[in-house]
C-alpha cells in the first residue's frame, strides 16, 4: 500500500502535512509527523507538496 516517507531529522512538526492529507493518514507525534493509517493513503502527494522543509521525500508503494 502507498505511504509517504518522512525523514524525522528534517521534520519540524508543523502539522502542515496532517492538515493537507484528505484521508487522515498522518498524525503529529511529539517531534515528527507519523504515518498512523497507511491503509487510507491514496498516494495523492498533498502531504509532500505541503511540507515546508522537504521532510516528506516520496510516496512509496510497498
Ligand atoms: S499521499 Fe495523500 S493520502 Fe497519502 S498521506 Fe499524503 S496526503 Fe495523505
Ligand atoms: S509538513 Fe513536513 S515538517 Fe511539517 S509536520 Fe509534516 S513532515 Fe513535518
Amino acid at each position: 500500500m502507498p505511504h509517504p516517507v518522512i525523514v524525522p531529522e528534517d521534520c519540524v512538526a508543523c502539522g502542515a502535512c496532517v492538515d493537507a492529507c484528505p484521508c487522515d493518514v498522518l498524525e503529529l507525534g511529539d517531534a515528527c509527523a507519523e504515518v498512523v493509517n497507511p491503509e487510507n493513503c491514496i498516494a495523492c502527494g498533498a502531504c509532500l507538496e505541503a511540507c515546508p522543509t522537504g521532510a516528506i521525500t516520496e510516496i512509496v508503494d510497498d
Side-chain angles (χ1 to χ4, degrees):
M1 62 187 69
H3 64 87
V5 175
I6 305 171
V7 179
E9 293 79 16
D10 293 337
C11 178
V12 295
C14 68
C17 58
V18 178
D19 292 341
C21 179
C23 304
D24 292 330
V25 173
L26 302 163
E27 277 185 10
L28 209 50
D30 287 340
C32 182
E34 298 170 357
V35 177
V36 292
N37 295 309
E39 69 277 9
N40 291 352
C41 183
I42 57 172
C44 67
C47 55
L48 190 154
E49 290 175 22
C51 181
T53 68
I56 299 179
T57 56
E58 61 180 331
I59 313 297
V60 296
D61 195 351
D62 56 16

